[in-house]
Amino acid sequence: MADYKLMKGNEAIAEAAIRCGCDAYFGYPITPQSEVLETLMARKPWDETGMIVLQAESEVAAINMVYGGAGCGKKVMTSSSSPGISLKQEGISYIAGAELPCLIVNVVRGGPGLGTIQPAQSDYFQSVKGGGHGDYRLIVLAPASVQEMYDFVNLGFELAFKYRNPALILSDGVIGQMMEKVQLGSYKPRLTNEEIVARYGSWATTGKTHDRPRNIITSLDLDPYRQEQFNLKLQKKYREIEEKEVRFEKIACDDAEYLLVAYGSASRICQKAVDLAREKGIKVGLLRPITLFPYPTKAIREMLGQVKGILAVEMSAGQMVEDVRLAVDGKVKVEHFGRMGGVIATPNEVVAALEEKIIKG
Amino acid sequence: MAKVRGAIVVDVEKCKGCGLCVVACPSKVIDLAKEVNGKGYNYAYMANPDACIGCANCAIVCPDTVITVYKVNTEANV
Amino acid sequence: MDVKDIIKEENLVYGKTKLLTDNIMHYCPGCTHGVVHKVLAEVIDEMGIQEKTIGVAPVGCSVLAYNYIDIDWHEAAHGRAPALATAINRLYPDKYVFTYQGDGDLASIGTAEIIHACNRGENIVVIFINNGIYGMTGGQMAPTSILDMPTSTTPYGRKVELNGYPLKITDLIAQLPGTCYVTRQSGHTPAAVRKLKKAITKAFENVGKKKGTSFIEVVSTCNSGWKLSPVKANEWMVEHMFPFYPIGDFKDE
């Protein structure tokens, strides 16, 4: 029998972590995601599954705890919001450079700087194009509902371990704070230390035994030629992820003459905008990227023979629109519409922008 | 009168000629060679082997762990 | 008696522990890191805990420590080793987790991480190499550089008006209730190395007894950074560092 619960997006992250067999969560309070840590602390998963929850002294420490936990083969995660995620970039770069699996959740708020505590989507570049130093990519998942907040915890861990790469859930204050019905999954047991040795003993620091060389978790190689080879290996992995892991959703696209592209909470606004536009006789569809890296470039490209123009809708000054333009390569008109600083666009504003910027313009 | 005799073996190619063993030796056994090893260091050697008592002080302070120490009780052999 | 009659397996009294790899250390001649690495390897070997020991070495000269001691290792970002060690310790409470940090790492960029790990009483060992200088980057001032000490960023010596005071971080650490054993040692003489080994052994035993954080400062030399010969560097350390950083236990509970 399905187990349903009404919960906040942030609570769903916490519940999913416990149920998917997560070994540890390391966090630090910041609005609008503090409920993740609060929910975990209240739930006391250490009594239930043995999962460890620790409030770190800073976001920097929290991500480095993730780095330590991931290096010894455990399923570990952290969450924060934009300013905190900026602080975590050093650790994220090290984790990517050491090829370790972990899950990071960003419940985005408006920036730059301390910005605001209201929702925004202005961390797209940081999430998808790098964020920290060096050539690396995160696997980026963009939930548009509380159910997806829940589901993407497990999916994020699966992808992270499959590719030994950090995965990021790029959410925002809307999805983190709103309440929806969530279908909860069954409890997956945490791996035992023996299972971890069997699965990840070739690289994880589980303690050096006589039957294997010592395992070293590092992102350092002072030999430039070896470091270049390592970078080429990373790039090969990212190309494989682009080949196999693209996820997206198409809504009302079959007969669409115009296309909205939006992810996360903006996609929910766009869903309503599609309905409003169609009531006015405008045949518009919505393409919702679920993975932001890898980006659904091909899916957008496949729409090109069909649509006359594309509007990218984001709660930012226009970040994802650059990836839409790369996919479109100048073949149709691409414009951006967005509100910023924590302001959420209305469906009517989206329709008006579509008419103004794409249909008339 | 020496009841114990010692001897050291220096891993010449790994020695960096820092000289810490020279000052650590209570019997002034060790000196740095005039010759250099493959890395260009004047390596440590037993300049005065008869004085070695096998106390291992040299090996204990050696940062590169290049000294192995041996010791015999000569009196027991008499 | 001929030397070759002495050099026999049965007469061996001191040799390299098998936990030290055969890699030639990248440290400068006479560097204290080598001594501490050796002692650490000997302690892990003699306690028979190789399979249970995980080291965390962050950025600094000892960033490549994983090349020298045959255990599992993490390389950490500058200053962050205590955060990694916290996670490893929590996730594997039966392991012996230690950090190996320099003064720039532990007492400057990583001050928050070390203070909070010690204050939480993480069941780990912290080895803190204090030579009063940034070695790897070329001899810049460290938080622990003593007054008037010349470095590449204080060429006329450290001055209070410009650079503030040297930080006695171990004194601070000893105030934290999470720590069970806080000591300051050195490794410049055979007697000092023997005491250092006892201290490191006690620290690892404390982990086995789950007593909390054991913190060992090792007042060290950086003869390249100090621009002295290894022997002169030891003398300078005794004359100038020891009066400000006196050797001894702060706490042993």
Side-chain angles (χ1 to χ4, degrees), chain A residues 58-197:
Chain A
S58 67
E59 286 93 345
V60 176
I63 193 67
N64 280 285
M65 289 172 185
V66 168
Y67 181 26
C72 54
K74 297 279 184 172
K75 200 170 179 177
V76 295
M77 65 180 290
T78 186
S79 68
S80 190
S81 180
S82 309
I85 294 288
S86 291
L87 282 168
K88 289 185 196 289
Q89 292 305 324
E90 172 199 57
I92 293 171
S93 174
Y94 274 71
I95 293 167
E99 290 202 271
L100 296 178
C102 73
L103 181 67
I104 303 145
V105 181
N106 184 0
V107 183
V108 180
R109 57 190 257 184
L114 200 51
T116 177
I117 57 168
Q118 280 80 19
Q121 294 183 311
S122 44
D123 295 356
Y124 180 90
F125 284 154
Q126 186 197 52
S127 312
V128 170
K129 306 291 180 185
H133 59 282
D135 276 321
Y136 74 89
R137 298 287 191 157
L138 305 177
I139 298 165
V140 184
L141 300 168
S145 64
V146 178
Q147 183 70 54
E148 283 189 342
M149 285 286 255
Y150 181 90
D151 293 341
F152 288 1
V153 170
N154 188 51
L155 175 63
F157 272 125
E158 277 181 8
L159 292 171
F161 274 88
K162 183 175 176 187
Y163 294 100
R164 274 185 63 189
N165 202 72
L168 175 84
I169 294 178
L170 187 66
S171 173
D172 62 62
V174 174
I175 311 286
Q177 291 296 325
M178 73 183 184
M179 293 187 85
E180 284 185 325
K181 184 177 76 175
V182 179
Q183 183 178 353
L184 303 173
S186 53
Y187 283 82
K188 277 205 312 196
R190 292 169 53 238
L191 293 185
T192 64
N193 287 349
E194 292 70 29
E195 286 168 331
I196 287 171
V197 169

Side-chain angles (χ1 to χ4, degrees), chain B residues 14 64-65 67-68, chain C residues 14-22 42:
Chain B
K14 285 188 175 177
D64 292 283
T65 322
I67 302 175
T68 310
Chain C
Y14 192 95
K16 182 172 85 70
T17 160
K18 63 179 189 307
L19 243 71
L20 278 178
T21 66
D22 288 328
E42 285 175 359

Side-chain angles (χ1 to χ4, degrees), chain B residues 16 59-60 62 69 71-72, chain C residues 11 13-14 22 25 27 38:
Chain B
K16 294 174 186 161
I60 286 167
C62 175
V69 185
K71 182 160 82 170
V72 290
Chain C
N11 298 331
V13 289
Y14 192 95
D22 288 328
M25 292 187 190
Y27 303 116
K38 172 177 63 182

